[in-house]
Amino acid sequence: MFENPTAIGSSHSPHLRKPGAKSVSSDLGGGEPGNSVQEGYVFPFGVGEMKGSNSPMHTTAIMPSPTFLWRFKVIWFLIWAFTCCKVGWDSVMRMSADLRDLFLYEAFLYYNPLLLVTMMVWLWGVCLWVFSQSTINYAKIFDLDQNHLTHREIWKCSIWMTVIVPTSMTAYLYLYSHGEVALAASQPVFLYVAVALVLIFPFDIFYFSSRYFLLRTLWRIAFPLQPISFPDFFLADILTSMAKVFSDLERSVCRMVHRQVATIAWFEADSVCGSHSVAIPLVLVIPYIWRLLQCLRQYKDTKEKPTLFNALKYSTAIPVIFLSALKYHVSPDSWTYVYRRLWLFSSLVNSLYSFYWDITRDWDLSVFTRIFKFNKPSLCSYLLYGRQWVYFWAIGSNLVLRCTWTYKLSAHLRHNYLTVFMITTLEMLRRFQWIFFRVENEWNKMTKSGFQIPMADIPREEERLLGSTNHNV
């Protein structure tokens, strides 16, 4: 997600170009009227090849236009999407009606976490694109160097994730419905192992420095033994919105470890990986415990009392989670007359406290008029900047989604997996809009404190990409 500020870039990376060759981009007469050469063609000549040639270019070496390549990729993507939908639907229809819902529930459990992670990566790319168009220097806020991943590279990762995860899910549905249970069971296992290996791969490929920065930040979140930086608690806040993802990951890995994938062993709610497992609330509460410990560490370093109130906010999520889980471990009367009422009260306190903190602290309503200010006039700036409906929408939707998010934190309300998926998706969209206001507020604090970079000194993202010969992969 972020780039390591201490990453060591390599200007001779073998993952970007062939040894001894240098790609040359040509803009022949770009911007001149009447120019017949389409802008954006790339001539992949090595330097030595160009020197030894009588002509500056060969027509056979001209690559297809970017527009043609984009359309070609879109067509293939649509063909792939149609194939996955058709194969998946036919596979589900092959199952008997009484097993179809359980079949879908199990498949959904294994692939739901990675689908939600894919969605969050897409949304993060959108955030970076908006920041690159605005007056916010997000690289300075997150303390990134000039080789950090741009929105284009984030979207490239998102595209691969969008293709790989549904393809594996389609293979699982097809193999299971055609009686190849062992092969079907291997699909989610292979996918989880592949994702883990890509994240920890120790060689300088697959955006090594960015993966290292992400893993290092996760380590700092899990063990807040050092002063808390902005990326630390920013990512930790995002993880609280993905608590359901952690819970489903735990249940999926549990079934893989106990060889319950594509079996009926997990149907019993009281089994080791069942829906009544005590591991579910324990995993749900982990992101909130991390954020609570970060706030306590901040208070230790700064002695600022607001950090204690922030810690109190995260602590209010703990009774919501554990009181809900008690439904499966107490008598029905005790749940109805005691614990359910306590759960409702703790849910109300958590939702309203979190909403108040979002509006007054994380967003700071006093600077709302400066939000969504763009460098150049555009459709986005016309629709968003200075429009009151944007702020009313942000406040109203944040309140509603803060309350519905309690549904996800409550184990006894999570039987309908499609409803839970929808609410988790809405929570990620809420967090998505929260990111804009939170980053804007942080930038305003930096500028007010006397830290200001002239806008002329902040390189535009397109200029940096075109002029850079030292981009780490």
Side-chain angles (χ1 to χ4, degrees):
M1 185 181 297
F2 308 113
E3 181 59 87
N4 180 11
T6 60
I8 300 176
S10 174
S11 59
H12 306 287
S13 174
H15 315 294
L16 294 177
R17 60 184 70 89
K18 297 179 180 179
K22 183 178 181 181
S23 296
V24 180
S25 296
S26 178
D27 245 350
L28 299 180
E32 296 178 5
N35 184 14
S36 61
V37 180
Q38 184 170 353
E39 182 178 351
Y41 283 96
V42 179
F43 306 94
F45 293 117
V47 176
E49 294 172 351
M50 294 184 67
K51 290 182 180 179
S53 174
N54 296 328
S55 173
M57 69 184 72
H58 301 287
T59 56
T60 58
I62 298 178
M63 297 290 291
S65 70
T67 302
F68 174 81
L69 289 176
W70 183 83
R71 291 175 179 174
F72 181 76
K73 293 175 182 178
V74 169
I75 291 173
W76 272 108
F77 181 82
L78 293 176
I79 293 174
W80 163 84
F82 175 79
T83 303
C84 286
C85 292
K86 183 68 168 62
V87 173
W89 178 261
D90 292 343
S91 300
V92 171
M93 291 297 104
R94 285 176 60 93
M95 301 292 295
S96 59
D98 55 335
L99 293 178
R100 192 174 298 159
D101 190 59
L102 291 174
F103 173 58
L104 278 176
Y105 174 76
E106 184 184 18
F108 198 78
L109 174 67
Y110 301 136
Y111 293 98
N112 161 62
L114 295 181
L115 288 173
L116 292 172
V117 171
T118 300
M119 173 186 168
M120 201 66 207
V121 176
W122 274 109
L123 295 177
W124 176 245
V126 174
C127 291
L128 292 188
W129 175 78
V130 173
F131 295 150
S132 69
Q133 303 298 314
S134 71
T135 57
I136 300 173
N137 185 6
Y138 70 90
K140 184 60 64 176
I141 294 175
F142 293 103
D143 196 20
L144 308 176
D145 64 14
Q146 290 191 349
N147 294 324
H148 65 271
L149 297 186
T150 66
H151 63 275
R152 292 183 178 88
E153 291 156 326
I154 295 294
W155 284 339
K156 186 185 297 183
C157 297
S158 306
I159 290 172
W160 279 109
M161 296 170 68
T162 303
V163 170
I164 292 173
V165 176
T167 299
S168 177
M169 185 175 182
T170 303
Y172 176 85
L173 296 174
Y174 177 83
L175 292 171
Y176 191 98
S177 63
H178 286 75
E180 300 290 343
V181 178
L183 289 176
S186 66
Q187 297 304 308
V189 176
F190 286 156
L191 180 61
Y192 276 57
V193 171
V195 170
L197 289 178
V198 168
L199 281 176
I200 65 175
F201 202 61
F203 301 103
D204 193 10
I205 57 176
F206 304 132
Y207 307 113
F208 172 75
S209 56
S210 294
R211 289 187 289 112
Y212 172 77
F213 183 74
L214 173 61
L215 293 175
R216 191 189 69 168
T217 304
L218 290 174
W219 178 267
R220 290 166 58 93
I221 291 172
F223 303 97
L225 305 178
Q226 64 290 311
I228 307 302
S229 65
F230 183 79
D232 293 342
F233 69 76
F234 181 84
L235 180 57
D237 271 328
I238 293 177
L239 294 181
T240 60
S241 294
M242 302 177 69
K244 179 62 167 59
V245 173
F246 286 102
S247 175
D248 286 349
L249 279 174
E250 181 275 329
R251 299 179 72 193
S252 299
V253 173
C254 178
R255 294 179 185 180
M256 294 175 189
V257 171
H258 291 86
R259 300 180 181 274
Q260 295 182 4
V261 181
T263 69
I264 62 173
W266 58 271
F267 285 6
E268 297 182 4
D270 294 326
S271 65
V272 64
C273 301
S275 59
H276 296 179
S277 171
V278 295
I280 294 177
L282 292 177
V283 174
L284 281 173
V285 81
I286 285 177
Y288 297 93
I289 295 295
W290 285 344
R291 196 65 186 89
L292 172 63
L293 294 177
Q294 283 186 333
C295 293
L296 296 179
R297 172 69 199 206
Q298 283 183 303
Y299 177 75
K300 177 180 180 295
D301 295 335
T302 65
K303 303 302 180 183
E304 296 178 354
K305 288 185 178 180
T307 58
L308 291 180
F309 291 107
N310 199 16
L312 179 62
K313 181 193 72 172
Y314 292 104
S315 68
T316 60
I318 298 176
V320 177
I321 296 172
F322 284 103
L323 287 173
S324 174
L326 281 178
K327 179 181 180 180
Y328 304 117
H329 305 282
V330 298
S331 65
D333 289 340
S334 297
W335 166 254
T336 302
Y337 298 107
V338 180
Y339 296 107
R340 186 174 181 271
R341 295 176 180 179
L342 291 175
W343 169 76
L344 288 173
F345 176 75
S346 60
S347 300
L348 182 65
V349 171
N350 173 254
S351 298
L352 295 181
Y353 197 166
S354 300
F355 169 74
Y356 166 80
W357 197 271
D358 284 342
I359 302 302
T360 60
R361 294 289 182 173
D362 286 349
W363 293 359
D364 189 4
L365 286 175
S366 64
V367 294
F368 250 33
T369 55
R370 299 175 58 184
I371 289 174
F372 293 123
K373 185 175 182 179
F374 291 78
N375 286 325
K376 297 180 180 179
S378 63
L379 178 62
C380 289
S381 62
Y382 175 76
L383 291 175
L384 300 178
Y385 181 57
R387 303 288 175 175
Q388 289 187 353
W389 70 266
V390 176
Y391 315 128
F392 289 127
W393 164 263
I395 295 173
S397 62
N398 192 73
L399 175 61
V400 173
L401 294 177
R402 273 295 188 183
C403 294
T404 57
W405 186 228
T406 304
Y407 186 103
K408 184 278 312 173
L409 293 179
S410 305
H412 73 284
L413 299 177
R414 296 187 291 112
H415 297 296
N416 190 330
Y417 59 92
L418 291 179
T419 302
V420 174
F421 179 80
M422 180 187 70
I423 290 178
T424 307
T425 302
L426 291 175
E427 165 61 15
M428 289 191 174
L429 292 174
R430 186 200 68 82
R431 182 63 66 180
F432 168 66
Q433 77 174 9
W434 174 91
I435 288 174
F436 292 111
F437 299 107
R438 183 65 185 89
V439 173
E440 174 83 9
N441 187 29
E442 187 67 19
W443 177 245
N444 289 332
K445 290 179 181 178
M446 294 175 68
T447 55
K448 285 182 180 179
S449 64
F451 180 88
Q452 178 66 53
I453 299 178
M455 293 306 299
D457 295 341
I458 301 176
R460 301 291 300 143
E461 191 163 287
E462 292 79 4
E463 297 172 358
R464 181 175 62 79
L465 288 173
L466 292 175
S468 175
T469 59
N470 182 25
H471 195 84
N472 233 6
V473 177

